[in-house]
Every structure is written in structure tokens, then in C-alpha cells.
Amino acid sequence: MRQHVNPLSSNFNQIERIPSVSEMFRESQLNLHLDIGCAAGEFLFDLALVNTRWNYLGIEIREKLVKNAKLKVLEREIKNLYFLFGSANNILNEDESKSILKNLKSISFNFPDPWFKKKHCKRRVIQPELINILSNSLRTGTLVFIKTDVKDLFDYMDFTISSNLYFKNIDKKDFNYSESFNPNKVKTNREKYVTVNQLDIFERIYIKI
Ligand SMILES: C[S@@+](CC[C@H](N)C(=O)[O-])C[C@H]1O[C@@H](n2cnc3c(N)ncnc32)[C@H](O)[C@@H]1O
């Protein structure tokens, strides 16, 4: 089992330069989706190769994974996929991220690290401060997707997002996936494992109002 990375470590205070959206993607006007905690990025490769009318951005705190993902993007000459290394909480707090946030159509938090111990809850990626940054910078109508197999983490994330008055829960039944960033309901690696092992999945979609 892999060791979780502590996002509060001072190692992550130094942030690499955050390029503008037009530097990241060949067609910067396309719909933009951000996946937070994208690991090696397989989910985003699967999406970007099929949905070429969307741009995909992944943020991941494990540097080696991001280096390898960036190499793969270059080798395969994929123009609608970009990866940033660092803690999403620090990256999205930077002024340079404001224009990225303004451009987003949607964000996903897929199976974030649960940090079960109470004293480690501050290490969870979804924090009230991050949700405030999102509510201050996202455009009205931007969607936020959360998914996990840990009920306690789901309740915590749902409470944290719902406590912000600018996010409203959307009924999944009324949601049209075909127009979303993931029209074919591609699964993340953790989701594949959870599905094979018949574990519960807890998910919710919010809209910025
Ligand atoms: C349990 S894995 C899930 C990976 C993938 N989303 C999936 O569904 O298969 C959680 C990922 O989030 C990353 N992560 C944790 N905290 C982070 C943070 N603050 N910023 C960016 N990535 C983070 C971890 O390194 C790990 O790759």
C-alpha cells in the first residue's frame, strides 16, 4: 500500500510556475475540466483521447507521477491535456490560478485520500478554505463532482461544500452526462477497484450559483 503524501508539508509551499490556459492547450477556448488528485492521470488520458472538444487539467501532489504523465503527453502529442504538480490547496490559492478557475466548466474530486484519523482531517484536500476559493472564483454554472467509497469522507465533503451558500446540490437523476466532461462515464482507477470489489460509491454533483 502506498504511503500518503502529507499536503501540509512545507515541501509543497514552493509552487512551479502556473501557465495560462492558452499556454497549456492548443485550443484554449474549449470547455475545461479540472481533476484534483489525478494520480498518474490514466483517467484523464482516457477522457482526453476520446473527447477532443474538451481540455483536461490534472493536479497531483506526487511529483514522479506528474513527471511521467507530462512525458506521456509529449510523446503522444496530446494537445488537450495538461498536468500540474503540487498540492491543489496551494496551487489554487495562487493569483495565477484565478484565470484557470474562471475558465472551468467542471471540477472532479475522485476518491480523495480519506485521512481517517481525526488529527489528520486537516490533510483532506476538501477544506472550507479551498471551497471558499472556488466559490469566489468559479463562474456561475460551474459543476463540482465528488466521489468516494468512504461514507465518513463523503459526509465530511458534502457538509463542507453544502455549508458554502454558493454551491447547490444537483439531483443526479436530472443530470445529463452526455454533455459533461465524461460523456461515456469512464471510471478512475480507484473506481474500477471499488466496482470489482462491489463496494459502495457515494457521489454528488454541485453547481455554483
Ligand atoms: C486515493 S487517490 C485517487 C486517485 C484517482 N483520483 C482515482 O480515483 O483513482 C488520491 C490522489 O490524490 C492525491 N492528492 C492527495 N492530496 C492532494 C492535494 N492536496 N493536491 C493534489 N493531489 C492530492 C494523492 O497523491 C493521490 O494520487
Side-chain angles (χ1 to χ4, degrees):
M1 189 133 167
R2 80 177 165 86
Q3 195 64 38
H4 289 172
V5 173
N6 175 6
L8 302 181
S9 155
S10 58
N11 295 342
F12 301 112
N13 291 348
Q14 191 77 25
I15 290 170
E16 65 177 337
R17 190 181 80 85
I18 303 167
S20 65
V21 175
S22 54
E23 286 175 274
M24 291 182 192
F25 306 106
R26 179 160 61 193
E27 293 181 79
S28 58
Q29 80 288 357
L30 298 181
N31 288 336
L32 177 60
H33 178 77
L34 167 64
D35 187 45
I36 293 184
C38 62
E42 280 113 337
F43 174 62
L44 293 180
F45 278 96
D46 289 346
L47 291 169
L49 288 169
V50 175
N51 308 308
T52 50
R53 302 313 294 161
W54 278 75
N55 287 327
Y56 295 92
L57 171 63
I59 299 181
E60 169 55 47
I61 201 166
R62 284 183 285 160
E63 191 168 18
K64 187 99 200 284
L65 297 185
V66 177
K67 270 193 177 147
N68 291 341
K70 282 186 167 193
L71 270 177
K72 235 162 87 175
V73 168
L74 280 177
E75 280 163 14
R76 299 187 187 180
E77 300 182 6
I78 304 173
K79 304 296 181 196
N80 62 333
L81 179 55
Y82 198 90
F83 292 97
L84 282 174
F85 155 66
S87 167
N89 305 74
N90 295 346
I91 291 176
L92 297 178
N93 197 23
E94 291 290 297
D95 280 348
E96 290 77 9
S97 291
K98 288 217 166 72
S99 66
I100 298 173
L101 291 170
K102 285 243 165 321
N103 269 283
L104 290 175
K105 268 270 179 203
S106 47
I107 306 180
S108 50
F109 293 89
N110 288 311
F111 302 87
D113 290 338
W115 295 107
F116 289 107
K117 288 185 188 157
K118 209 174 164 71
K119 66 174 181 185
H120 287 157
C121 275
K122 272 275 158 200
R123 298 180 183 180
R124 289 177 170 173
V125 66
I126 290 195
Q127 295 293 332
E129 295 80 5
L130 178 64
I131 300 307
N132 264 335
I133 291 172
L134 298 183
S135 75
N136 286 334
S137 297
L138 296 177
R139 279 177 307 180
T140 304
T142 304
L143 301 173
V144 177
F145 296 76
I146 62 166
K147 227 180 236 192
T148 178
D149 52 304
V150 180
K151 179 70 167 74
D152 172 61
L153 176 63
F154 173 78
D155 290 340
Y156 161 83
M157 295 194 291
D158 183 45
F159 177 78
T160 308
I161 298 175
S162 304
S163 297
N164 185 305
L165 297 176
Y166 293 97
F167 290 104
K168 200 180 88 182
N169 176 16
I170 292 184
D171 197 332
K172 238 188 94 193
K173 288 197 301 292
D174 302 333
F175 189 71
N176 184 359
Y177 277 90
S178 66
E179 287 171 14
S180 77
F181 76 100
N182 189 1
N184 303 318
K185 296 199 181 178
V186 170
K187 289 184 167 65
T188 73
N189 279 357
R190 176 70 194 172
E191 193 169 7
K192 288 176 192 163
Y193 170 88
V194 165
T195 308
V196 167
N197 289 283
Q198 299 184 330
L199 303 175
D200 288 332
I201 294 182
F202 308 95
E203 58 185 310
R204 198 149 271 181
I205 307 168
Y206 308 86
I207 186 163
K208 162 82 197 299
I209 53 173

